[in-house]
Amino acid sequence: MTLQNPPLPHPPLDWDRLAAGLDRHGVATTGIPLLDAQTCAALAALYDAPPDDGASPFRSRVVMARHGFGQGEYRYFAYPLPAIVQALRTALYPPLAAIAGRWAAAAGSPQRWPATHAEYLAQCHAAGQTRPTPLLLRYGEGDYNCLHQDLYGEMVFPLQAVILLSDPARDFTGGELVLTEQRPRMQSRAEVVPLQQGEAAIFPVHHRPVQGRPVKGRRGTYRVTMRHGVSRLRSGSRHTLGIIFHDAG
């Protein structure tokens, strides 16, 4: 199975629905697979595949337990990215940049993002963030990922995506994507996000604006802090593709 000439999602994604879900819940799922089962399997197989002509597709490997991140491991892709990973990063960025710009305006921030991912990466690289951040994650029975934020430097794109490569009906149980939302002067809210194979979830990297009134606060827009992780895998194995749009320093 080749990962060249990747297909684009069909039918096209409903970005109005996705934007509304992000506004209401802080997470939105595509509702349809972005990748078919064969492409998911081919991507997952890269994790343990021997380097092609001596060149590994990855730049580093992280064992979570060594750093207190949880249990399981992940590998960051090297440049050049696999074609399908590059295509997803390029295609998802423009509508997410529009959402990020609207969120910034709602929060009273002047920050905006370029229209294309190539332009944004040029800004990251000029700031010294040149290492690619898309990654493959692998979990086995008993593994989990602690709540965290994917911050790698001063340049942070506010939204990211994760695509489930394994089949939850066949390959594993447990291992749900979990997000928490820390609201000012309120208890944190949790969201569990089920996904089908090839489907993507989109969520904030670290913050999002919320319309309303915090406890003992004035009505208007306020900022909440977001974190994400993965609950304990009860059986089987689970592979996930993470699409982060800023590069690392």
Side-chain angles (χ1 to χ4, degrees), residues 149-160:
Q149 299 172 322
D150 292 311
L151 305 174
Y152 301 106
E154 293 297 322
M155 300 287 291
V156 177
F157 187 74
L159 292 156
Q160 66 188 83

Side-chain angles (χ1 to χ4, degrees), residues 1-4 6-7 36-43 46:
M1 167 70 192
T2 179
L3 291 173
Q4 301 300 316
D36 61 27
Q38 285 185 314
T39 304
C40 287
L43 274 169
L46 286 178

Side-chain angles (χ1 to χ4, degrees), residues 192-208:
V192 176
V193 185
L195 293 170
Q196 60 178 312
Q197 185 178 35
E199 186 180 12
I202 299 168
F203 50 92
V205 172
H206 58 346
H207 300 118
R208 78 178 183 98

Side-chain angles (χ1 to χ4, degrees), residues 99-113 209:
I99 295 170
R102 179 169 56 80
W103 279 7
S109 169
Q111 185 171 11
R112 299 295 184 271
W113 288 267

Side-chain angles (χ1 to χ4, degrees), residues 47-239:
Y47 200 95
D48 291 317
D52 183 18
D53 296 327
S56 171
F58 303 104
R59 64 174 176 85
S60 65
R61 171 176 170 263
V62 177
V63 178
M64 296 185 201
R66 293 177 184 170
H67 306 277
F69 296 164
Q71 292 181 193
E73 58 182 65
Y74 53 90
R75 304 185 77 174
Y76 287 106
F77 284 104
Y79 280 131
L81 300 175
I84 185 62
V85 178
Q86 178 65 42
L88 287 165
R89 219 180 182 201
T90 299
L92 292 174
Y93 172 86
L96 293 180
I99 295 170
R102 179 169 56 80
W103 279 7
S109 169
Q111 185 171 11
R112 299 295 184 271
W113 288 267
T116 69
H117 192 239
E119 292 174 283
Y120 178 65
L121 278 186
Q123 293 182 358
C124 287
H125 295 177
Q129 294 180 210
T130 60
R131 293 180 297 163
T133 50
L135 69 164
L136 275 182
L137 303 100
R138 182 175 69 182
Y139 303 88
E141 184 175 344
D143 289 347
Y144 62 93
N145 196 349
C146 295
L147 295 170
H148 65 282
Q149 299 172 322
D150 292 311
L151 305 174
Y152 301 106
E154 293 297 322
M155 300 287 291
V156 177
F157 187 74
L159 292 156
Q160 66 188 83
V162 63
I163 301 174
L164 181 62
L165 302 179
S166 302
D167 184 350
R170 180 193 65 214
D171 297 331
F172 68 93
T173 61
E176 297 90 353
L177 174 65
V178 179
L179 293 96
T180 62
E181 182 179 276
Q182 184 180 347
R183 300 171 291 175
R185 297 178 294 278
M186 299 173 70
Q187 293 181 329
S188 295
R189 183 181 71 88
E191 185 93 13
V192 176
V193 185
L195 293 170
Q196 60 178 312
Q197 185 178 35
E199 186 180 12
I202 299 168
F203 50 92
V205 172
H206 58 346
H207 300 118
R208 78 178 183 98
V210 173
Q211 294 285 339
R213 183 174 60 194
V215 174
K216 298 181 181 178
R218 295 182 178 179
R219 181 173 295 278
T221 301
Y222 61 97
R223 190 174 74 171
V224 299
T225 298
M226 304 288 297
R227 289 181 172 82
H228 64 279
V230 172
S231 69
R232 177 173 56 87
L233 208 73
R234 290 172 173 79
S235 66
S237 63
R238 176 187 188 271
H239 287 81

